[in-house]
Amino acid sequence: MRYVSTRGQCPAVGFTDAVLSGLAPDGGLYVPEAWPTFSRARIEGFAGKPYAEVAAAVIGAFAGDEIPAADLREMCEEAYATFNHKAVVPLVQIGPDAFLAELFHGPSLAFKDVAMQILARLYDHLLGAQGRTQTILCATSGDTGGAAVEAFRGRKNVKIVALFPEGRISEVQRRFMTTAEEDNVACVAVTGTFDDCQAIVKQAFQDQSLRQAVDLTGVNSINFARIAAQAVYYFTTAVALGAPHRKVSFCVPSGNFGDAFAGYVAMRMGLPVARIATATNANDILARAFETGRYVRGAVQPTISPAMDIQSASNFERLYFETVKREPVETARAFQAFAEAGAIDIPPSAYAAMREVFRGVSIGEDETARTIVSTLNETGELIDPHTAVGVAALRHVDLPGPVVVLSTAHAAKFPDDVAKACGAMPALPRGVANLADRRERFDRLPAEAETIKAYVRAFAER
Ligand SMILES: *Cc1c(COP(=O)(O)O)cnc(C)c1O
């Protein structure tokens, strides 16, 4: 399986290089040269199978012959054994034809664990085969850092430095990073904002000498392996609800569009998907794109679903590429224009193709809070604010039944906002209940690129 850039200005690469490099050198995103497909019978055969087995089948279709099937199977077994639910991604019914897919049973209680746990094992495997060590540098506004540290701690061939804005993430989020004891992990409280952290990461990646010295890499949601890993639960949940014999719809709380795009990937692989709704908070760039045909950046507004406070949904470039019939020149033109002017007018034929599958809904803060209350009253389920955005969207969009809402975080990850909305304080699940007692370890640095670059270099060379 070869991977091409959405901007077409660099050569095709194999799965290993696509995974380890993340962004393509021409600034585009890697996509498979052709979508692998499963027959109806193969999809039917996923029913009742262990999650790790379906994961190995789906990810294996993208890895091709670059990873031996037995090794991949073992990595999937290990990755999903870290989840504290035997189903890995269980379904919970919340209405006559509506279900929650609980994606939050992983080590850091957010859906990012589903992809990050397997990504870390893929990195270790692929780097080990090349005798190489890489250093991951990531900035986090909350969930990504915790999921990445949980996944990469103790890996042999990878070191990780996580930057977070001091005092601006929740205690639970911070502790998932800072209580890791392994010495391949470094956490840094930056005295600045998340934007400062991101700007520093960007500067570090632009420093060629540092990049080479520590073999710098990233794990953000543009990495194709994360998309492949997220396609898995579209298969397991749809099959549990009767696919491939009937179509299933999905409603996806969205920020960077990685999760919702993975649903499109599952569809291209042969899964009968009726419709995918992207549910956003007030940061509604995606909702507007799907409802108006214009993809236009707005100002970022802070909300109670902070993992979705994004006004430039990186993975949208992959869908654009598909719907302009894989025209790299047009894709490059559009996204260069977006970088400069912050807007793209989606060509009518591409927009029509998007509308065959996608809908967009934006949900305000009051409705999100009210949905936490109504869901608790009507079903007994205590949901987090991100999931609430998805559940609220069901009232605004026509999704042919059965509908799966992706539940992207455990309520205990956002205890204050959940308690404020409905008066119930969510408890941490067993296994992480002692999070507050674990010893924390992190360094504190000013928001200065040079200082942090020197820190990364010293840590990587230690
Ligand atoms: C990252 C995240 C999202 C958004 O996912 P995208 O792939 O960026 O669209 C939604 N909910 C939670 C809890 C997250 O951590």
Side-chain angles (χ1 to χ4, degrees), residues 300-388:
V300 176
Q301 299 173 46
T303 71
I304 57 170
S305 48
M308 310 197 299
D309 292 351
I310 290 168
Q311 283 282 20
S312 141
S314 358
N315 279 288
F316 188 69
E317 180 167 338
R318 286 190 164 112
L319 180 68
Y320 192 89
F321 179 68
E322 291 301 322
T323 55
V324 295
K325 304 210 165 69
R326 296 198 153 217
E327 259 306 328
V329 176
E330 163 53 19
T331 307
R333 184 207 60 77
F335 284 85
Q336 270 146 19
F338 180 73
E340 282 152 27
I344 296 174
D345 285 306
I346 304 168
S349 60
Y351 182 57
M354 290 179 190
R355 288 286 294 183
E356 283 175 19
V357 186
F358 288 98
R359 294 291 183 273
V361 184
S362 163
I363 303 293
E365 297 288 272
D366 287 347
E367 189 173 357
T368 304
R370 283 200 310 273
T371 303
I372 295 176
V373 181
S374 60
T375 306
L376 182 62
N377 290 343
E378 291 161 17
T379 71
E381 296 297 323
L382 191 51
I383 57 173
D384 97 291
H386 302 79
T387 306

Side-chain angles (χ1 to χ4, degrees), residues 110-112 143 230 253-259 307-308 310 386 408-409:
F111 99 93
K112 293 192 171 64
D143 283 346
Q230 289 170 14
S254 298
N256 242 328
F257 194 57
D259 209 4
M308 310 197 299
I310 290 168
H386 302 79
T408 51

Side-chain angles (χ1 to χ4, degrees), residues 12 19 33 64 131 148 153 161 197 206 221 255 268 272 301 326 345 348 418:
V19 171
E33 214 161 44
R153 66 192 172 93
V161 179
C197 296
Q206 280 161 359
S221 72
R268 294 295 300 263
Q301 299 173 46
R326 296 198 153 217
D345 285 306
V418 170

Side-chain angles (χ1 to χ4, degrees), residues 24 34 44 56 66 71 120 164 177 202-203 325 349 351 353 361 408 419 444:
E44 208 174 346
E66 290 193 31
D71 292 351
F164 62 89
M177 285 183 273
K202 210 167 179 182
Q203 287 182 51
K325 304 210 165 69
S349 60
Y351 182 57
V361 184
T408 51
R444 196 176 271 115

